[in-house]
Every structure is written in C-alpha cells, then in structure tokens.
Amino acid sequence: MSRILIVEDEAIIRTALRRLLERHDYQVSEAGCVDEALALEPRGFDLVISDLRLPGEPGTDLIEHAAPTPVLIMTSYASMRSAVEALKQGAVDYVAKPFDHDELLETVARVLHQRSTHSTSPPDITDAGGARQPMIGECAAMQAVYTRIRKTAPADVTVLIQGESGTGKELVARAIHQQSQRAHAPLICVNCAAIPETLIESELFGHEKGAFTGASAARTGLVEAADGGTLFLDEIGELPLDAQARLLRVLQEGEIRRIGSVETRHVDVRLIAATHRDLRALSKTGEFRLDLYYRLNVMQIDLPPLREREDDILLIADVLLEKACQRHHRDGLRLSRAARREIRDYPWPGNVRELENALERGVILAEGHLIHPDDLGLRPSLAPAPRSIVESQPATAQVESEVLDAEEDLSLEDYFQHFVLEHQDHMSETELAQKLGISRKCLWERRQRLGIPRKKQARRSSA
C-alpha cells in the first residue's frame, strides 16, 4: 500500500482529497503547512501532494526536503507560469484546482508507477538500537537487489536469499521485513548452522514437558514465536532432513506440532531463508528436500560478492571505518592512499564481514592519524618493518622532513620505493641505507620484497 502525504492548509480540500485517495487503497497522512510536513519526515512517503500556496514557506520548498520522494504540486491559479516554475524546481507534475477526480487519480497512479519502476534508492534498515540507516552500495548489481526488495516486501511471499558468506543476507531479510505489512510484528532470526542437530527441531518447533531427557518444562519454538511476523532462517542448507519435513508442513498448511505433543497449532508466519549453498544441487544428492526447495524459492534474491562490487568497496570501507572509529574512540583516523589501493585490489573472500574485521584491526593498530596496509593485515608481510622511518632517526633533517610529508599520503613501502628510485643514481647502497636509517641487509631485503632492482654501477678502470 502506497503512502501519500497531503500538504494543504484548507481543511475541507485536505479532507476531501484524503477520502478520495483512501477509497482507492492509499494510506494517507495530512499536514497544513511545510513545517508540519517536515515533522512527518516526507522522505518516508511514496508521494507528496502539496498546495503551491501555503502559510509560511511555499509548497515547492518540499521538493528538496522530500527528495527522492516525488512532489506533486497543486495550484489554484492554473497558470502555465506557476506550473512551469514548479516543474523547473523539481516537481514531478502539477494539477490545477479545482481538480477532476479521475484525472488526479490517474496522475497519482502514473507517478507512483514511475517511482516503483525507476526508484533504486537503498532501503533503510532499523538496527537493534533503533537507529535507521540505508543499505550501502550504488553498483548495478545492488540496484537490482534494491528493486527486488521493494517489489517483494509487500507481497508477503516466501523469499530465498542466495549469496556467499558475509555478503549481508540478514540485512536484506531485515529490509524486507521492515518494508512489509508485518513490520509491526517480530522478526525472528535463526542461524541453522549454529544450533546442534539434536536440538534444532526443539528450537524451531518447541517441545512439551518430558518430551525428551532434560525437557523439564514446555517450551515455545521460534516458529511459534514469530507468529504474525517473519521468520528468517539463515544457512537453511544446514537444516536436517527431519526438520525440513516439519518446516514443509509449516509452509504448506501453516501448522506446527511441538515435540511430544499431539496438538496441532496454527501459525501465520512469513518465511525468509538464506544460504550460501546450491540447494538444487543438494537436492540431487538427497541432502535437501526438493519439494521444500520449490516452496522456498517463490522469490529469489541473489547478493553479489564484494569482489564484484568494485564501485562500492571504498564507499563501504569509509562507512565501516567511521563506525569502527566511534567504537574505539579514534576520531580523525583515515586510510592512506596505499591502504585504499590495498582495499580496492584485494579479492575479499570473506566479503563485507572480512572488510569490517580488517578495518577494525586497522583502527586498533594504527599509530598516528593514518591507517597503512600493514595495519589492515590483509597480506602476510615477508619481513618485519618499523612503523615509521622517523623512528629510525634518519641522518639528515632533509630526509626527516621528507618522511613526515610522505606519511600524509604514502605508506612506508611507498616512501621507501620513492626515495630509493630518486636517489640511487647518485648515492651508494651504504649512503642510501644511512639516509634511511636502516642496515644494508635490510635495504637489500626490501628491494627484493618490493621488486626494486639495484642500479648497476659503472666499473672504474684501474690506472
């Protein structure tokens, strides 16, 4: 059901318009001026219908405040000048007062259809602390995911989310639940791989007192706890066959029976399942029920791995870094250029979860205000190196100044390579090592590790 905000200072017109839209199954809220509309957070609506002339600020002020929600302007003047001006400022369309009901409904339906077709803004998710934040990602693959979430959420069908571990399958499940008609009801999340096989049926479907050894009291299962809401089963490919049969009964008949009970209970649960495994392939080997697979796969959402989201990697890294800095009270930390290159080029087999862990390490280990590649710990170092060349007490003030400047944007390896390539034509290996404050052996080892060939000196002829 689309949500529409009406902003109109004349109560009679506002009430008539609300009743008209509600008769056509729209969910409507009202405001009498721009300030009242802003208090209702217009970005949370699917459409804003606002009068042009309002007490205080004009209705066109909502165009910027409501973006990306479209704003349909009403004007009693019906002049091309005011209509064109509103369109120039970003209004999606305009209607003239007094408006024809059929024409208005047709315009509203068209605008909402265009929004559902082209809108790909990331959905907002409410975390455990109640804070709302959008999902992160702007690449084409994630735009397709956002579109699928928006279309799937209100449909109240079973959803199967597929993607590698660490790609954010639970975030997608939360977005679907919070945009669904069950948003007011609980979302119960269960990791099937984290529960022992002997306890999974009891955890999901509950048990009666004395049903098995240790069952000292009756217990409500998680499926029953999600009644009226959403049940998210992560890693459903790890679910034992017996539990799969019970879950199939829930999907087919909406019924559960606690272990040790003869009484059947009816439940109204929307199921969202997730897996990193190929369920169809598992069904061919008998590890997963084919009939359950077909019941689950009403709507499928495929999450891309992080390595296929090149345009999003640094964007995600910046957001995760800010959160890590807040947790560890390290305000002002940022990634060096070398660290950003390392993050961009790394294959990320552990996806977003691995990226989050790497940035957590970087925040903890960083000295100064820059995070370097060594702090991230993504690639094993072949030889230990000091954090900063400044700590090695270079011989001259000129080198020390160069090091301090280099630390602003370059890692230790970046500066080492730059310094050696710039000075090796007119300095010996001994002089290079002295200027860098390291031994000749250390200089040679770093040359080998970084692939910097030694400049061959012309042999002096003996006279």
Side-chain angles (χ1 to χ4, degrees):
M1 180 181 295
S2 298
R3 300 181 64 224
I4 299 177
L5 173 61
I6 300 173
V7 188
E8 167 62 65
D9 58 322
E10 295 186 31
I12 296 177
I13 297 177
R14 189 171 66 239
T15 302
L17 184 54
R18 175 177 58 78
R19 290 175 177 173
L20 173 65
L21 293 173
E22 287 180 341
R23 286 200 302 269
H24 290 79
D25 298 326
Y26 294 112
Q27 183 179 341
V28 182
S29 298
E30 302 177 31
C33 62
V34 171
D35 287 341
E36 291 180 10
L38 295 179
L40 296 175
E41 298 185 357
R43 293 182 180 179
F45 291 83
D46 297 298
L47 174 65
V48 175
I49 302 177
S50 175
D51 190 13
L52 178 63
R53 302 287 184 178
L54 293 169
E57 294 81 6
T60 48
D61 279 12
L62 287 168
I63 295 173
E64 179 180 354
H65 293 298
T69 300
V71 176
L72 178 64
I73 292 294
M74 298 183 294
T75 172
S76 58
Y77 300 94
S79 68
M80 285 301 297
R81 176 177 298 178
S82 60
V84 170
E85 193 63 32
L87 294 175
K88 283 183 178 180
Q89 294 183 48
V92 67
D93 208 337
Y94 77 97
V95 290
K97 295 180 185 177
F99 44 77
D100 178 79
H101 286 189
D102 291 337
E103 181 181 352
L104 175 67
L105 291 171
E106 181 181 347
T107 302
V108 169
R110 174 173 51 79
V111 171
L112 290 173
H113 176 71
Q114 291 175 345
R115 174 175 168 79
S116 66
T117 303
H118 299 101
S119 175
T120 54
S121 57
D124 288 342
I125 303 173
T126 302
D127 58 23
R132 293 183 65 86
Q133 64 175 24
M135 292 182 67
I136 308 169
E138 300 175 353
C139 67
M142 289 305 296
Q143 297 293 321
V145 170
Y146 301 151
T147 300
R148 185 61 63 93
I149 291 173
R150 188 181 65 253
K151 292 183 176 180
T152 301
D156 206 35
V157 296
T158 305
V159 182
L160 178 62
I161 307 171
Q162 292 192 304
E164 297 179 5
S165 296
T167 50
K169 295 188 287 293
E170 184 173 337
L171 291 179
V172 173
R174 289 187 179 278
I176 293 173
H177 171 73
Q178 291 171 9
Q179 293 188 24
S180 73
Q181 299 174 13
R182 300 173 180 262
H184 63 282
L187 168 67
I188 305 296
C189 300
V190 184
N191 188 336
C192 298
I195 303 175
E197 185 172 339
T198 55
L199 297 178
I200 187 70
E201 289 189 64
S202 173
E203 288 288 323
L204 288 178
F205 307 104
H207 62 259
E208 296 294 344
K209 180 179 179 181
F212 51 85
T213 302
S216 56
R219 179 173 179 178
T220 301
L222 295 173
V223 175
E224 193 174 348
D227 189 18
T230 305
L231 176 67
F232 173 55
L233 296 182
D234 197 6
E235 300 299 349
I236 196 171
E238 311 302 325
L239 201 63
L241 289 172
D242 290 344
Q244 291 179 29
R246 285 178 172 269
L247 183 61
L248 184 63
R249 181 76 177 175
V250 174
L251 293 176
Q252 289 179 334
E253 308 296 338
E255 295 178 349
I256 64 166
R257 189 169 67 241
R258 294 181 180 180
I259 297 175
S261 173
V262 295
E263 179 185 353
T264 298
R265 301 169 184 263
H266 290 273
V267 291
D268 175 23
V269 173
R270 181 186 192 174
L271 181 65
I272 301 177
T275 180
H276 72 283
R277 307 180 70 182
D278 186 342
L279 297 185
R280 183 184 288 272
L282 291 178
S283 67
K284 293 179 180 179
T285 62
E287 298 177 69
F288 199 85
R289 295 181 62 109
L290 186 59
D291 50 0
L292 178 58
Y293 168 72
Y294 287 130
R295 281 286 179 178
L296 292 174
N297 197 25
V298 177
M299 187 65 68
Q300 181 173 317
I301 298 178
D302 294 311
L303 278 177
L306 189 57
R307 61 182 173 275
E308 295 179 7
R309 299 172 58 186
E310 294 181 1
D311 296 339
D312 292 341
I313 292 177
L314 291 177
L315 176 65
I316 297 172
D318 289 337
V319 174
L320 295 179
L321 175 61
E322 181 179 356
K323 292 182 179 180
C325 288
Q326 291 175 355
R327 284 194 300 271
H328 297 282
H329 308 290
R330 295 290 306 272
D331 295 338
L333 270 181
R334 61 187 178 90
L335 295 164
S336 68
R337 291 183 182 178
R340 295 182 75 83
R341 284 197 300 269
E342 182 90 347
I343 289 173
R344 184 192 60 204
D345 298 337
Y346 187 71
W348 299 111
N351 294 294
V352 178
R353 187 177 296 120
E354 184 183 9
L355 173 59
E356 186 175 16
N357 291 340
L359 292 168
E360 192 96 15
R361 274 195 304 272
V363 170
I364 294 171
L365 297 177
E367 298 179 4
H369 61 280
L370 284 179
I371 297 176
H372 298 291
D374 288 347
D375 300 321
L376 299 173
L378 297 178
R379 306 178 193 274
S381 178
L382 298 179
R387 170 64 49 215
S388 169
I389 300 178
V390 177
E391 297 174 0
S392 301
Q393 297 180 352
T396 66
Q398 178 182 1
V399 174
E400 182 175 353
S401 175
E402 290 176 0
V403 173
L404 291 172
D405 292 338
E407 275 198 321
E408 287 296 322
D409 292 311
L410 301 177
S411 70
L412 178 60
E413 287 81 4
D414 290 326
Y415 177 72
F416 178 87
Q417 185 170 356
H418 175 78
F419 185 89
V420 171
L421 290 176
E422 182 177 358
H423 297 287
Q424 68 177 355
D425 288 343
H426 55 272
M427 294 174 65
S428 67
E429 290 295 285
T430 301
E431 290 172 328
L432 282 172
Q434 289 176 346
K435 293 293 185 182
L436 291 169
I438 59 178
S439 66
R440 283 176 54 95
K441 180 176 181 294
C442 185
L443 175 62
W444 179 85
E445 288 175 343
R446 290 192 194 174
R447 277 186 180 276
Q448 298 299 311
R449 177 156 57 90
L450 299 175
I452 306 174
R454 181 177 176 180
K455 190 75 172 180
K456 293 184 179 180
Q457 298 289 337
R459 293 184 117 187
R460 296 180 180 176
S461 58
S462 56

